Amino acid sequence: MKEEITLRAYGKINLGLDVTGKRPDGYHEVRMVMQTVGLYDSIRLERRRESGIEIRTNLPFLPTGPDNLIFQAAKLLMEEFRIEGGLFINLYKKIPVSAGMAGGSSDAAAVFVGVNRLFRLGLSKKALMERGVKLGADIPYCILRGTALAEGIGERLTPLPPMPDCFILLAKPPVSVSTKFVYKNLKVESLSSHPDIDGIVDRLGAGDLAGISTRLGNVLETVTVPVYPQIRKLKDCMVAGGAQAALMSGSGPTVFGIFEKEEIADEVGRDIRAGGLAKQVYTVKPLNVVERIGR
């Protein structure tokens, strides 16, 4: 039996993010168009005879115990299936932390998949997604990946036609945004406009990159942009530099711009670094066909 496995945990952006209401349990009802991008963390899982879960990471400020989502994901499956022995997890993070790119959720999704394969549990993708939502609303999408419409609290997923080929510039300013803070301060009933989610879905079906770009929207910007003006500056810089459009991803603060040409995206990225707006800057592509995950 294989004793170790290495997986890639890809980040995501939101082409559209709308909040339609708040449920009695405190969760928000959302409609989002999610897209996997080619920035990823590397996760190596290794079986051990001695019991326990040990995590190491390249970022010293990350928790490595029960507070970490990947610890919780491994523990959930190992306890449910009464797995004997233990697990060592090495996490090399490249996706910015607390950045609106679902890095933590993607890492947890990869651990669900890795434990399933490593210990021959035989769980389907659907079964993994059902377990993943217990730990976080984004985890089922991070197991599915690609282009998808997310509804409910984000757990109801409908695969969509792939995003047209393009280049995506990612830039995270040197601030961290609390998702809890953003949703707590979102005034759903006062929103004057909502993103055209159906329009984005329609344009994806037509393979119309320009049509998608003109419809980008994220209602969470109504909370984050006034508090973190760096987000607006990054958006303006990308559009001025030639992006078809720019938007904050998730609850922020990462901003992405859509470009047709890689060299232009790279040039704008260099300007952003030089101007001190962001140090974590990457040019990537949308990923629609990624390595098999689950079954």
Side-chain angles (χ1 to χ4, degrees):
M1 185 177 289
K2 194 170 184 179
E3 294 298 320
E4 68 174 62
I5 188 170
T6 300
L7 295 170
R8 292 179 175 182
Y10 288 94
K12 65 83 185 167
I13 57 172
N14 299 87
L15 301 177
L17 194 164
D18 194 14
V19 178
T20 58
K22 191 173 182 180
R23 307 190 327 182
D25 62 6
Y27 283 98
H28 287 79
E29 291 279 344
V30 298
R31 294 190 81 221
M32 306 184 291
V33 179
M34 316 273 270
Q35 175 62 53
T36 304
V37 295
L39 182 66
Y40 62 87
D41 297 338
S42 294
I43 299 180
R44 181 171 62 87
L45 294 86
E46 180 184 324
R47 294 172 60 118
R48 285 185 169 174
R49 289 191 177 149
E50 56 274 18
S51 62
I53 299 168
E54 180 186 353
I55 298 172
R56 286 185 198 162
T57 174
N58 62 314
L59 300 181
F61 60 83
L62 286 181
T64 56
D67 289 340
N68 193 309
L69 265 183
I70 63 175
F71 185 102
Q72 295 169 31
K75 184 171 182 283
L76 188 152
L77 287 183
M78 293 176 78
E79 286 187 349
E80 178 183 353
F81 290 90
R82 299 178 182 177
I83 293 172
E84 294 183 1
L87 185 67
F88 170 75
I89 304 172
N90 187 75
L91 169 63
Y92 185 86
K93 281 205 69 67
K94 197 171 181 183
I95 301 171
V97 177
S98 299
M101 294 190 65
S105 294
S106 188
D107 294 340
V111 168
F112 272 114
V113 171
V115 170
N116 184 44
R117 292 188 196 170
L118 200 58
F119 294 97
R120 305 288 198 272
L121 303 183
L123 293 170
S124 66
K125 184 187 292 187
K126 181 181 178 182
L128 290 173
M129 291 163 69
E130 288 170 351
R131 287 161 174 80
V133 75
K134 297 176 182 178
L135 300 183
D138 279 346
I139 294 176
Y141 167 74
C142 292
I143 292 173
L144 177 69
R145 303 200 292 196
T147 314
L149 174 67
E151 298 175 287
I153 62 170
E155 89 289 4
R156 293 205 321 266
L157 298 166
T158 304
L160 296 174
M163 186 176 181
D165 197 30
C166 63
F167 295 92
I168 297 170
L169 179 64
L170 303 167
K172 179 192 178 280
V175 297
S176 293
V177 176
S178 162
T179 300
K180 185 177 180 181
F181 166 83
V182 174
Y183 276 98
K184 182 179 179 181
N185 288 277
L186 179 69
K187 310 299 183 186
V188 180
E189 66 284 351
S190 301
L191 292 171
S192 58
S193 63
H194 292 267
D196 184 6
I197 300 297
D198 291 333
I200 296 172
V201 172
D202 177 72
R203 292 299 85 199
L204 281 165
D208 177 9
L209 183 65
I212 294 164
S213 297
T214 60
R215 290 168 173 81
L216 297 185
N218 181 349
V219 297
L220 301 185
E221 287 188 345
T222 61
V223 178
T224 54
V225 171
V227 179
Y228 301 100
Q230 303 98 319
I231 293 170
R232 168 60 61 192
K233 290 178 182 177
L234 279 169
K235 290 179 64 176
D236 291 346
C237 182
M238 289 187 187
V239 172
Q244 289 194 4
L247 189 72
M248 182 184 78
S249 183
S251 55
T254 298
V255 171
F256 69 90
I258 296 176
F259 294 80
E260 288 189 280
K261 295 184 178 181
E262 184 176 19
E263 58 269 25
I264 297 177
D266 287 342
E267 183 178 349
V268 175
R270 287 192 291 271
D271 290 343
I272 286 171
R273 285 195 193 91
L277 285 175
K279 290 183 179 178
Q280 292 177 284
V281 182
Y282 308 93
T283 300
V284 299
K285 298 189 76 174
L287 289 189
N288 299 296
V289 180
V290 291
E291 67 193 56
R292 182 179 65 88
I293 192 161
R295 291 179 61 192

